[in-house]
Amino acid sequence: MMHSDPPFDTRAHYMALMARKRLYGGIVLAIFVALMVSGFMLTDDRNAGGFWDGLPQIFDFPAAVLADTIPKLDRLPGHFLRYFPSLMETINIAAVSTLLGAGLAMLLSLLSTRGLARWPRLIPLFRRIMDIMRAIPEIVVALVLIFVLGGGPVPAMIAIAFHTAGALGKLFSEVNENADLKPVEGLQSVGGTWFQRMWMGVVPQVSPNYFSYALLRFEINIRASAILGFVGAGGIGYDLRNAMAWGQGRFDEAAAIFILLFLTIVVFDQLSSHVRNAMIAKKGSH
């Protein structure tokens, strides 16, 4: 007499899987909360003033800026004109570093994409190079270059371009993986070099996505170039640091710089969003 296996209960199996998933999720969440709490307590202990002691004064600086600026509103247009050249220097730093970083990112991404790489065995090497470039913050690279080259916009430009190449290289390589290889194979069959295959067979396909990511990175680099000015890398951030260092009496200048930065970021954010949407609409119409 043959014994048949008991029927498989799909519902019970599904509920068991869901219970296990919830258990693992709860454990991960508990570990995350514990790390956050312990990290906060350690940081608060090492902080000079303490987070909770300083929390009531969080609005003291904005209040001081407003109190110093409101009686001097008539001076703001003059401050705008005075710091506009520094703002243009910051935008130039961001633009040049984005162009240089995007160019290097394009090359690194093509060298690290399977099916397109010039040297397939070196794909892991190029990917690790991009990882390192992304991992090192711009301010660390800028501080090293300022020590070597001195203060000015050149260290900021190199530092931002270095980080941009790593960040965009990762994004570009993901775009490259979706490229159609038929044009590349056709160019290879007629004797095209690797550079010709990439430039005429791959880049035309992926250039809209490249441009979209580069515009997004340009917005980020404007903020980064302003921040690097605090460590002596030129641009409007350097003027903002000086205005804030003078303290009460110069906060109207700091307010003017804040307004200039805010308006610049809003303008470029809207401009890049408009360009990206137009490119998406154009791509969808074909």
Side-chain angles (χ1 to χ4, degrees):
M1 184 175 181
M2 297 181 62
H3 296 282
S4 60
D5 295 332
F8 182 74
D9 192 343
T10 305
R11 179 179 175 82
H13 180 67
Y14 174 76
M15 295 303 294
L17 288 177
M18 292 301 296
R20 187 183 309 169
K21 185 177 180 180
R22 284 193 292 267
L23 175 62
Y24 291 157
I27 293 173
V28 171
L29 180 61
I31 294 173
F32 176 76
V33 171
L35 290 173
M36 288 289 292
V37 171
S38 62
F40 175 81
M41 293 174 63
L42 178 63
T43 304
D44 187 54
D45 291 339
R46 294 188 176 184
N47 190 29
F51 177 78
W52 298 113
D53 295 334
L55 192 61
Q57 289 96 32
I58 191 171
F59 294 110
D60 287 357
F61 177 72
V65 172
L66 287 175
D68 202 12
T69 304
I70 291 176
K72 306 174 184 176
L73 287 177
D74 57 317
R75 300 184 185 179
L76 287 182
H79 293 330
F80 292 154
L81 292 176
R82 177 183 176 185
Y83 292 114
F84 187 75
S86 297
L87 177 65
M88 294 305 300
E89 183 180 24
T90 295
I91 295 174
N92 287 335
I93 292 171
V96 174
S97 59
T98 302
L99 288 173
L100 293 176
L104 182 56
M106 185 187 305
L107 177 62
L108 289 173
S109 68
L110 292 171
L111 291 172
S112 60
T113 303
R114 292 184 181 89
L116 300 177
R118 177 67 178 83
W119 303 287
R121 293 183 178 180
L122 297 181
I123 288 177
L125 173 63
F126 290 115
R127 290 188 174 182
R128 297 296 81 77
I129 290 174
M130 291 190 295
D131 291 343
I132 293 172
M133 297 173 85
R134 285 197 308 275
I136 303 176
E138 298 101 323
I139 194 168
V140 174
V141 180
L143 286 171
V144 174
L145 292 174
I146 288 172
F147 178 78
V148 176
L149 303 176
V154 174
M157 180 190 68
I158 297 174
I160 298 174
F162 183 82
H163 191 273
T164 298
L168 287 181
K170 172 67 173 177
L171 298 173
F172 287 178
S173 62
E174 294 176 356
V175 172
N176 295 340
E177 292 175 356
N178 297 321
D180 186 5
L181 297 182
K182 291 180 180 178
V184 178
E185 295 169 356
L187 289 167
Q188 186 176 10
S189 65
V190 296
T193 64
W194 179 83
F195 179 80
Q196 291 171 333
R197 297 197 301 270
M198 297 302 104
W199 185 251
M200 293 184 285
V202 178
V203 173
Q205 299 182 57
V206 298
S207 56
N209 289 326
Y210 278 8
F211 189 65
S212 178
Y213 282 131
L215 279 176
L216 181 62
R217 191 68 203 182
F218 177 55
E219 300 172 29
I220 298 172
N221 288 345
I222 292 176
R223 290 184 281 269
S225 59
I227 293 171
L228 291 184
F230 272 79
V231 296
I236 201 168
Y238 181 74
D239 293 326
L240 179 60
R241 186 191 68 172
N242 291 337
M244 293 175 64
W246 278 95
Q248 200 77 25
R250 293 280 298 275
F251 282 160
D252 57 316
E253 299 181 22
I257 295 173
F258 282 135
I259 294 171
L260 279 175
L261 278 173
F262 174 75
L263 292 177
T264 301
I265 291 172
V266 168
V267 167
F268 280 102
D269 176 69
Q270 294 298 318
L271 180 62
S272 60
S273 297
H274 176 73
V275 173
R276 286 199 300 270
N277 292 334
M279 291 175 61
I280 293 172
K282 183 178 180 181
K283 187 176 181 181
S285 64
H286 290 295

